[in-house]
Amino acid sequence: MIKQILLLSFVSMFTINFVSAKAKIPFGKIDKIEIIADLPDTEKYAVSKDSKEYLDLARMHQEYNIAWIIPAWITQEPKLVLAKKDSDEYFELTNEQLDQIVSENKLNKENLLKLGLYTQYGGKLIILLIIGLIVYGIFSKDKPKKINPTNI
C-alpha cells in the first residue's frame, strides 16, 4: 500500500509539470536577410583575404512577425547589403559602393528592393481572416427554432 502511494505521488508530481507547460506563440520584430543576387566568386567579394567564402547581394528588412511565419507589418524598409549564404552576418554599403556593385553586375536596384507579395500583404490577410472567423463565431450563435407540435 505504501509503495502504491509513493509511486502515485511520484508520478503525479511529474504530470503536474507537464500540465502546467503552455505553448507560447512567439511574436516581435525580427530582421530578415534574403540573398537576392549571386555575385561572382572573385577576390573583390571574398569575406577576407585568401578566403574561400564569398559575399552575395542581399535584401535586409525588419518586420513585426507572429509565430515566425506571419509577417504582420514591415517596421523598417528594405535595403541592400552584402551577406554570406546561410549566415546572419551582413555588411552595410555606402550608396556609392552599392551603385558600383549594381552597375558592374548589371542589376536593377528597384527590382531588388521589392518585397514579395506574401511579405507585404499575406500576413495582414491571414490576421484579418482570423479576426473575421472570431467575429463570425461570436455573432453566429444558433438561435432556437420554434417547433410547432403536430397532432396525428
Side-chain angles (χ1 to χ4, degrees), residues 57-104:
L57 196 60
R59 175 180 50 230
M60 185 182 93
H61 68 277
Q62 188 179 64
E63 64 188 26
Y64 191 84
N65 205 308
I66 301 170
W68 295 305
I69 56 171
I70 303 174
W73 60 84
I74 306 299
T75 58
Q76 188 179 57
E77 290 302 314
K79 63 181 176 180
L80 296 176
V81 295
L82 289 178
K84 292 190 301 186
K85 288 183 182 175
D86 303 325
S87 175
D88 290 338
E89 294 180 39
Y90 66 93
F91 301 95
E92 292 193 23
L93 301 168
T94 63
N95 286 334
E96 294 82 24
Q97 292 171 330
L98 183 61
D99 291 337
Q100 181 183 5
I101 290 172
V102 168
S103 64
E104 283 177 1

Side-chain angles (χ1 to χ4, degrees), residues 1-14:
M1 182 73 176
I2 294 176
K3 289 181 182 179
Q4 290 176 346
I5 293 173
L6 286 175
L7 180 64
L8 183 62
S9 63
F10 183 73
V11 169
S12 66
M13 201 167 40
F14 287 110

